[in-house]
Amino acid sequence: MRTRSIASTGLGFQLFRHAMLGLGAVLMLAPFVIMVSVSLKPSGEIFSPEFTLLPKQWHAWQNYSDAFTKQPLARYILNGFIVTGAIFLCQLLTALPCAYALAKLRWRGRETMFLLVLLGLLIPPQVTAIPLYILLWQVGLLDTYAAIILPSTISVFGIFLMRQFFLTVPDDLVNAARLDGLGEFAIVWRIMMPTAMPAVIAFGVLSLVWNWNEFFWPLIVVQSEHLATPPLGVVYFANAEAGTNYGPLMAAATAITAPLVIAFLAAQRWFIDGVTMTAVK
């Protein structure tokens, strides 16, 4: 009898948990579903008092063609790939050696340095915005790709994530590589990076989402429209359309969001593996 009661309680908890997860998923996905729905409708249906997910009259071609012709939306998306790709490459070049030094090398001050890395996670990027802006102005890099990319080239979160994964790698593997004559940098790139590929992919997805959606920093360092990142592009489109032509506006937002969705779906398995394996230690 007691076993049945425990089993019933466990089943009830699972049902409650799945119901809460389902409710959370609906709440988070609803704005995106509405965004896509509006991007397919003509203006008359958008402002209709009766809301329907699917349009009665499909207006997708007109909305999406206006989104790509009235503003250089393709250029904004290309800028997003250039900026996020360059940032992730620089972050990887700095995060892997730093994480290896914090996880596998023995040196005085290592724990103190790791505490400083954790402290860096607590500092909002807005705190350093004014000093960085002044520095970029003094060296003449404002209104360039470099102004967007350089402040994000070092990621303390990336160092932390890679360090946590490297802790799960056996020391015997590193020692065997040293016996084979590999130097520390060779171990990082030829042994540790392939081993940590799930964590690298997980960090790549997170870096892509963060930097693709970054609005604050590009807004203050970029004035030329041809350098605008995707979030700035949506703002320029809204300004050009006075913020009232919601069909093309939502089509532009959908086109800008699509690369993030595709990237996550493509790397979903490795993303989950990377996040779960970095939580082992």
Side-chain angles (χ1 to χ4, degrees), residues 71 215 219 225 231-244 249:
Q71 287 289 320
F215 176 75
L219 178 65
E225 189 172 326
L232 283 182
V234 172
V235 173
Y236 290 149
F237 190 92
N239 290 339
E241 295 297 322
T244 57
L249 182 60

Side-chain angles (χ1 to χ4, degrees), residues 50-107:
E50 297 181 0
F51 176 77
T52 56
L53 284 178
L54 295 178
K56 298 177 182 178
Q57 178 184 357
W58 289 83
H59 211 251
W61 177 259
Q62 184 64 38
N63 287 338
Y64 281 90
S65 61
D66 287 347
F68 279 90
T69 56
K70 292 187 176 181
Q71 287 289 320
L73 187 61
R75 176 70 186 190
Y76 301 150
I77 296 176
L78 176 62
N79 289 340
F81 283 117
I82 293 173
V83 170
T84 55
I87 288 176
F88 175 63
L89 180 61
C90 293
Q91 288 177 341
L92 204 62
L93 291 174
T94 56
L96 288 175
C98 292
Y100 175 76
L102 290 171
K104 294 301 180 183
L105 300 182
R106 300 292 181 264
W107 45 281

